[in-house]
Amino acid sequence: MKGNKKAAVNFIFITILLDVVGFGIIIPVLPELLAQMNQIDINEASTYGGYLLFAFALAQFICSPIMGSLSDQYGRRPVILLSLLGFAMDYLILAFAPTYTWLLIGRIIAGITGASFTTASAYIADVSTEEDRAKNFGMIGAAFGVGFIIGPLIGGLLGELGLRVPFYAAAGLTFLNFLYGYFILPESLSRDLRRKFDWRRANPIGTLRQLAKYKQIGVLLIAFIFLHFGSHAIQSNWTYFTMYQFEWSEAMVGFSLAFVGLLVGIVQAVLAQKSANYFGVNKSVYYGFALYTIGMFLFAFANSTWMMFVFLIPYCLGGIAMPNLQSFMVGKVPPNEQGELQGGLTSLISATTIFGPVTMTSVFYYFTKEDAPFHFPGSAFFLGGICMLISFLITYFLLRKASDTSSSNQRAV
């Protein structure tokens, strides 16, 4: 059984890895494609990029709870496969898109079917024990990290051959991922642990209302929202900021994201579980949030290329937080509601992606345009730092209290 679970985690790692590589391939070339397609400058193209993320996020916000609940009834495997097909279709549409409207259509399709990360997290919850849960969720984070080493690096190099070439590569890679899952990926949720699909719970409001019934999760969801909203200062703004501030090329952006991926892979695969073992799950969460906050404020005032790379170290070390936060929340929810939990979390991430990219890219553009009240290219990072500081304070006071209570109970026994 132990060997089967380890193999299942490895299957999910490869599936997410290939998915992230496909996504990462297009990152370095998207700003230039938008600028050429709309005949605008790079800093103004950031706003159009924000709207693409908005379209994807809105569709995912509505559909993630549905896909999560479907995986609770029909199993994780078919939902993951459907998601991969949707992403492959999206990349093909992006590759052939003659206008910006077609780019929006492709992103909406990907948002509707984009449940691979949601269902993969539920899959990990199915096959994990309390002892190895943080480690296994860290493997998902490591897959993201390694994928962002390979994907943007390939994308930056392929972008030299043509702005559309990375999209074809992403479509092909995602379809190979689908074939891999179809022939290799086993089902993780046994039939006796499944629950019937319920439309009252298969929507963002119903899902969050259900999750809020569990002790402490409701408050943590608030911190979760602020963290992911703030993270869009990097996710949605990194390419535009570095190209504008330091005149980075597509290849340089690819190399920088590869470095991010390397750091994230190390932190998630190795340090997340070690942190849980040494500090405990609760402390690992708010220590990680503190590091995120420090890194984000440092980015805001970076004025040379080397600073961006050095400041990535404390920021990426903050990655010890998410696997441990996932582990904490999974432990509060029964097995037949893990899909609902992960769907709810993805829905919240999508909600922040509805407003986060538009907000962060608009803030960046506002403080870099000619008539700005003052010139501050790092303004989006500063706003992101404020959001992450709020997340740190929420988790610190909540989880420190929980740790103190647990310690008191153990001493009493």
Side-chain angles (χ1 to χ4, degrees), residues 176-375:
L176 288 177
N177 194 2
F178 166 79
L179 293 177
Y180 170 83
Y182 183 81
F183 290 107
I184 302 297
L185 189 67
E187 180 55 62
S188 64
L189 186 64
S190 61
R191 293 187 178 275
D192 58 314
L193 292 178
R194 299 181 187 183
R195 66 176 180 87
K196 289 186 176 181
F197 183 87
D198 184 352
W199 279 108
R200 292 172 298 180
R201 294 166 60 172
N203 61 82
I205 295 175
T207 295
L208 297 178
R209 184 183 296 120
Q210 177 69 18
L211 295 177
K213 294 179 180 179
Y214 296 103
K215 187 177 180 181
Q216 298 177 321
I217 287 185
V219 178
L220 287 175
L221 291 179
I222 298 174
F224 192 83
I225 291 171
F226 275 103
L227 175 72
H228 282 278
F229 185 87
S231 71
H232 282 288
I234 287 182
Q235 294 176 18
S236 308
N237 195 55
W238 180 269
T239 304
Y240 302 103
F241 172 82
T242 53
M243 285 183 168
Y244 174 84
Q245 181 77 342
F246 308 120
E247 298 182 348
W248 285 6
S249 65
E250 287 86 355
M252 186 60 180
V253 171
F255 285 124
S256 72
L257 293 175
F259 183 64
V260 172
L262 175 64
L263 294 177
V264 170
I266 294 172
V267 170
Q268 300 270 346
V270 180
L271 298 184
Q273 184 64 51
K274 290 186 178 296
S275 177
N277 294 339
Y278 188 80
F279 298 114
V281 169
N282 293 17
K283 287 184 178 179
S284 296
V285 173
Y286 56 77
Y287 285 172
F289 279 26
L291 288 165
Y292 275 140
T293 303
I294 292 169
M296 192 67 81
F297 280 126
L298 289 173
F299 287 136
F301 298 99
N303 56 22
S304 63
T305 289
W306 70 264
M307 289 184 176
M308 298 301 290
F309 283 90
V310 171
F311 296 162
L312 278 170
I313 295 174
Y315 181 80
C316 291
L317 282 173
I320 62 174
M322 291 311 298
N324 285 287
L325 181 61
Q326 284 268 55
S327 177
F328 181 89
M329 290 191 287
V330 162
K332 305 295 182 182
V333 176
N336 65 351
E337 295 181 11
Q338 293 298 332
E340 182 177 50
L341 169 64
Q342 301 305 327
L345 294 178
T346 302
S347 187
L348 285 178
I349 294 174
S350 299
T352 66
T353 309
I354 291 173
F355 302 105
V358 174
T359 300
M360 296 303 177
T361 54
S362 296
V363 167
F364 166 70
Y365 176 60
Y366 180 77
F367 285 100
T368 56
K369 63 182 182 179
E370 291 184 0
D371 58 343
F374 56 91
H375 190 69

Side-chain angles (χ1 to χ4, degrees), residues 121-160:
S121 297
Y123 195 111
I124 291 296
D126 294 338
V127 300
S128 299
T129 63
E130 185 175 355
E131 290 74 21
D132 63 8
R133 193 179 292 141
K135 175 184 177 182
N136 290 342
F137 276 113
M139 291 300 292
I140 291 183
F144 272 89
V146 175
F148 271 106
I149 295 174
I150 302 172
L153 186 60
I154 294 174
L157 296 174
L158 290 179
E160 301 295 327

Side-chain angles (χ1 to χ4, degrees), residues 100-115:
Y100 182 73
T101 301
W102 279 99
L103 295 181
L104 285 171
I105 292 172
R107 292 281 76 192
I108 290 171
I109 292 173
I112 292 172
T113 60

Side-chain angles (χ1 to χ4, degrees), residues 53-135:
L53 288 172
F54 175 88
F56 174 83
L58 181 61
Q60 193 170 63
F61 172 73
I62 296 170
C63 295
S64 287
I66 297 174
M67 303 300 276
S69 291
L70 286 173
S71 78
D72 282 339
Q73 177 170 351
Y74 297 108
R76 318 301 184 198
R77 185 175 181 273
V79 176
I80 290 176
L81 295 179
L82 177 63
S83 173
L84 294 176
L85 279 179
F87 271 121
M89 185 183 301
D90 166 49
Y91 292 136
L92 282 177
I93 292 175
L94 296 181
F96 290 103
T99 65
Y100 182 73
T101 301
W102 279 99
L103 295 181
L104 285 171
I105 292 172
R107 292 281 76 192
I108 290 171
I109 292 173
I112 292 172
T113 60
S116 57
F117 303 131
T118 299
T119 315
S121 297
Y123 195 111
I124 291 296
D126 294 338
V127 300
S128 299
T129 63
E130 185 175 355
E131 290 74 21
D132 63 8
R133 193 179 292 141
K135 175 184 177 182

